[in-house]
Amino acid sequence: FYVSRIRDRLFAISQRCPHLGCRVPFCEGSGRFECPCHGSVFDLAGEWIAGPAPRGMDGYALTEGADGVTVDLDQPRLGPPLGAREFLTPARGSSCAERA
């Protein structure tokens, strides 16, 4: 899983694409998660941006405490629905697919 922070909020996000389960790496160029299998793209909160995925990236419950961050892998949650744009930010630059 990945842990990302947007606007002082933490997210624990699965590394698997909800489309076909491919591992979705983080692209430093765009600042987004980009699936190499079928081109789905997700923001740092796991929200769907583009591609054939049926929803955003699935995630996990997490808590922040004095001892750090705890991710509960026993509490998976479905990713945000298509069209969710609560945490969308502009891409930093070109996507990794454009450079391949």
Side-chain angles (χ1 to χ4, degrees):
F1 63 90
Y2 297 109
V3 174
S4 63
R5 180 182 297 274
I6 301 173
R7 300 183 206 133
D8 296 327
R9 183 164 168 196
L10 284 177
F11 297 88
I13 303 169
S14 170
Q15 291 186 2
R16 300 288 170 200
C17 182
H19 178 229
L20 293 177
C22 297
R23 184 179 177 283
V24 181
F26 179 74
C27 174
E28 291 291 337
S30 68
R32 295 179 166 168
F33 298 103
E34 299 182 10
C35 183
C37 295
H38 295 99
S40 290
V41 179
F42 309 91
D43 66 18
L44 288 174
E47 295 171 325
W48 175 89
I49 295 171
R55 63 182 179 278
M57 295 172 78
D58 297 337
Y60 303 97
L62 62 76
T63 54
E64 273 186 281
D67 296 335
V69 175
T70 302
V71 177
D72 188 345
L73 298 177
D74 292 328
Q75 290 190 47
R77 61 169 174 76
L78 289 180
L82 297 180
R85 295 284 194 265
E86 185 177 352
F87 298 97
L88 183 63
T89 57
R92 283 191 233 170
S94 62
S95 76
C96 290
E98 291 172 0
R99 288 186 257 152

